[in-house]
Amino acid sequence: MSTIYIDEATGSDTSGTGTQLTPYQTLGHALYANAASSDGVKYLIRKDATAEYDEPTQSALKKAKKTADGLEKKKKKAEELAEKEAKEKAELREKREKLLEESKKIVLEEDQTLPKPPRAKTSQLVEHRGQRVRVFGWVHRLRDQKGIIFIVLRDGTGYLQSVLSGRVAQTYEALTLTIESTVELVGTLQPVPDGKTAPGGHELIVDYWRVIGAAPGADDAFTNRLNEKSDPSIQADLRHLVLRGENASGVLRLRSYLLSAFREALISHNLLEVTPPCLVQTQVEGGATLFKLDYYGQPTFLTQSSQLYLETCLPSLGDVFCVQESFRAENSHTRRHLSEYTHLEAELAFINFNELMTHIEDIICETVDILLTNPTTAALIKALNPSFEPPTRPFTRISYVDAINWLNEHGIKHPEEDADGNPVKDETGQVKMVEHKVGDDIAEAAERQMTDIIGKPVFLYGFPAELKAFYMQRMPKKEGDSMTYTESCDLLMPNVGEIVGGSMRISDEEELLAAYKKEGIDSAPYYWYTDQRKYGTTEHGGYGLGVERFLAWLANRYTVRECSLYPRWPGRATP
């Protein structure tokens, strides 16, 4: 005779097996689980682990028997339901297979007696309402409702709701259509009925269509490979598919409009666009962040900035700008850093520092105004960033020294660092936080906190020369100054931080040569840059704007990685 154990305190009806080590929790489940061998079974039960096992009373057995009978009935009902569902599924499968076989006999041909449809993009359809049109695109959404198939078509310029019914919805291609397949649709464009909505306010009633390229279904279906809950690393690997989403494509569409608006604003200020090289032999922002490569046996780098080349254009072309890729070899994984980013840079001659900041402010505001004046881009910004408000002028201007005081007044501290730049920890292992002092490089987090509290664009200006690049113009020293400051500025935006960095450039040849020497830079490779001070120098200044950061602010994106077609950051060069 076998013995079954039940411990009402520590046992389990889910994982228990009835042994003394893994007892059941209830007598009813024990009877149910051992119904097949009930005659040769002895049951022992206890209330808790401190009590002795004992045989159950007759009343307990009687009550447990009812529970066991209920569990048995429930099991039989579940089995019957499963059998019924399996039968229904088999019938549905058989019915679908038969339907698919029948559908292969239906062959669609375009009716040549109907008006010949012009080919159109989805963004151009309003003028074709009431007419037959031919459109091509990808199946963005797909729904079958009682034999009527609804397709939302995407062609890169917009979306179109299309309706397949009757014979055109009964073909083999219609019954096996999958998301992301490419199709050709022909039909009559009609306004949507009152009370209904659709992209563009119309829908296509299809009378002929065909599949151009079928996308896979089953395990390899688009929605199985990628969805909103996919891990970020998977989304990065499948960036080429992520781009098909409405948000991702919307951000990139806005990026295109943004670059056009920037160009319009800059050209209206009489700046000329030029195209500097990406392969260079000089540094701009420090040698530690250069990507080095061999160029026909010569040491060469990917450019950190096109600034030096833009300066050489001033005497011949006047004020200039470029939209160029820049590369920084920083091992940074923050949400606002990329190893390759789009750099909008400009250089202007015969200006002073205040005029430079005013120019930057003008370009930012005029660019936003251009976007908001255009109904298409205004709607796109509204969809991506519903709470967006254009910046108001004038922008707040805070000197570096005043910013240090502001941070301390508002209790915003920064991590203390040792001589090697590593965070210092206290006896509990926590990083020590200390107040800012003049001479500190204001950290990104502190800048962002300050900007978010102020709640509008902020120019930080007048940084110490020790914190800035060699080419920046020094400010005249004032009485009591402990260090030399530069005519430099950063433009900070709420939720993003720095989006523009600019400065006046050293215009005196001897001062520039001294700056090379102080930084330990060999002036020989910079002969062409130094010559700008030799052959007719003047006060001049410029700036660089990170397009992805600006777009992140405009479209309210969490990371600049969403604002690049194929973002590159340390360890990521795929796809």
Side-chain angles (χ1 to χ4, degrees), residues 87-321:
K87 184 178 179 182
E88 288 175 351
K89 284 182 180 178
E91 289 174 352
L92 285 172
R93 187 164 53 249
E94 184 180 347
K95 185 178 179 181
R96 178 165 175 78
E97 287 172 358
K98 186 177 179 181
L99 188 64
L100 288 174
E101 282 301 314
E102 290 296 318
S103 70
K104 292 176 182 178
K105 299 174 184 177
I106 301 174
V107 179
L108 294 182
E109 291 185 6
E110 189 172 353
D111 190 343
Q112 300 300 323
T113 65
L114 294 173
K116 188 175 180 180
R119 179 173 174 171
K121 295 288 188 180
T122 58
S123 60
Q124 306 165 335
L125 289 176
V126 172
E127 61 192 74
H128 294 290
R129 284 185 181 174
Q131 303 172 12
R132 282 186 89 227
V133 292
R134 187 187 308 274
V135 292
F136 297 83
W138 288 259
V139 177
H140 188 65
R141 293 197 187 90
L142 180 64
R143 178 167 55 95
D144 188 335
Q145 185 174 317
K146 297 179 180 179
I148 299 175
I149 297 174
F150 294 88
I151 295 173
V152 173
L153 188 78
R154 182 188 74 244
D155 71 351
T157 71
Y159 302 89
L160 172 65
Q161 180 170 289
S162 309
V163 183
L164 282 64
S165 61
R167 196 164 180 269
V168 294
Q170 296 167 1
T171 64
Y172 182 80
E173 289 76 13
L175 298 179
T176 57
L177 188 60
T178 51
I179 285 177
E180 292 304 324
S181 294
T182 44
V183 295
E184 173 188 359
L185 304 177
V186 181
T188 304
L189 192 67
Q190 296 181 353
V192 292
D194 290 341
K196 302 291 183 180
T197 59
H202 45 234
E203 61 186 6
L204 187 70
I205 308 303
V206 176
D207 57 59
Y208 170 77
W209 74 287
R210 68 185 180 95
V211 174
I212 297 172
D219 292 342
D220 209 26
F222 183 87
T223 49
N224 286 335
R225 290 193 69 190
L226 182 72
N227 57 60
E228 291 179 354
K229 296 180 180 179
S230 295
D231 185 90
S233 64
I234 293 175
Q235 292 193 33
D237 288 339
L238 300 180
R239 178 68 176 167
H240 60 294
L241 300 181
V242 170
L243 296 177
R244 301 185 180 204
E246 291 173 34
N247 279 337
S249 61
V251 170
L252 294 178
R253 192 178 306 281
L254 180 57
R255 178 189 169 108
S256 175
Y257 290 122
L258 172 62
L259 290 174
S260 295
F262 267 129
R263 286 186 166 97
E264 183 179 336
L266 288 160
I267 291 169
S268 74
H269 283 258
N270 299 308
L271 275 77
L272 185 73
E273 184 171 5
V274 295
T275 309
C278 279
L279 294 173
V280 301
Q281 291 186 310
T282 51
Q283 69 183 52
V284 182
E285 299 297 332
T289 65
L290 286 166
F291 283 107
K292 189 174 182 179
L293 64 147
D294 183 274
Y295 183 72
Y296 300 105
Q298 300 179 57
T300 312
F301 312 102
L302 293 176
T303 184
Q304 300 166 315
S305 166
S306 299
Q307 173 208 318
L308 305 190
Y309 293 94
L310 292 180
E311 288 186 52
T312 69
C313 297
L314 295 176
S316 57
L317 301 174
D319 298 342
V320 291
F321 76 95

Side-chain angles (χ1 to χ4, degrees), residues 268-483:
S268 74
H269 283 258
N270 299 308
L271 275 77
L272 185 73
E273 184 171 5
V274 295
T275 309
C278 279
L279 294 173
V280 301
Q281 291 186 310
T282 51
Q283 69 183 52
V284 182
E285 299 297 332
T289 65
L290 286 166
F291 283 107
K292 189 174 182 179
L293 64 147
D294 183 274
Y295 183 72
Y296 300 105
Q298 300 179 57
T300 312
F301 312 102
L302 293 176
T303 184
Q304 300 166 315
S305 166
S306 299
Q307 173 208 318
L308 305 190
Y309 293 94
L310 292 180
E311 288 186 52
T312 69
C313 297
L314 295 176
S316 57
L317 301 174
D319 298 342
V320 291
F321 76 95
C322 72
V323 180
Q324 184 72 287
E325 297 307 291
S326 284
F327 304 84
R328 302 283 172 90
E330 296 176 87
N331 190 22
S332 178
H333 295 262
T334 76
R335 62 189 179 98
R336 44 170 271 175
H337 280 91
L338 292 170
S339 299
E340 175 188 4
Y341 66 97
T342 303
H343 210 174
L344 188 153
E345 298 181 86
E347 289 293 320
L348 302 95
F350 305 106
I351 61 168
N352 61 39
F353 187 37
N354 280 326
E355 289 170 340
L356 174 65
M357 287 192 283
T358 298
H359 165 84
I360 294 170
E361 183 177 308
D362 288 343
I363 294 300
I364 294 293
C365 292
E366 288 171 25
T367 297
V368 172
D369 288 344
I370 290 167
L371 292 170
L372 294 179
T373 302
N374 183 323
T376 300
T377 50
L380 195 50
I381 293 170
K382 185 71 174 176
L384 293 167
N385 187 2
S387 60
F388 178 77
E389 292 289 338
T392 56
R393 289 190 260 189
F395 292 174
T396 299
R397 298 184 184 186
I398 302 176
S399 73
Y400 164 84
V401 173
D402 287 342
I404 293 290
N405 293 332
W406 190 98
L407 291 168
N408 290 335
E409 287 169 4
H410 287 76
I412 298 173
K413 299 182 179 182
H414 70 99
E416 183 179 354
E417 295 181 348
D418 60 22
D420 297 322
N422 300 312
V424 176
K425 296 183 178 180
D426 60 22
E427 58 276 4
T428 66
Q430 298 294 315
V431 175
K432 291 180 70 174
M433 303 297 289
V434 294
E435 286 194 338
H436 290 81
K437 64 181 184 298
V438 173
D440 287 342
D441 189 0
I442 300 175
E444 170 193 325
E447 277 186 346
R448 201 163 54 240
Q449 274 185 275
M450 180 176 69
T451 313
D452 290 348
I453 291 171
I454 294 173
K456 57 183 180 179
V458 175
F459 271 118
L460 276 191
Y461 70 90
F463 293 91
E466 288 73 17
L467 301 178
K468 289 298 180 179
F470 71 92
Y471 53 77
M472 293 187 178
Q473 181 66 52
R474 275 57 173 166
M475 288 180 171
K477 265 200 171 185
K478 296 178 181 178
E479 188 177 345
D481 280 349
S482 59
M483 58 183 62

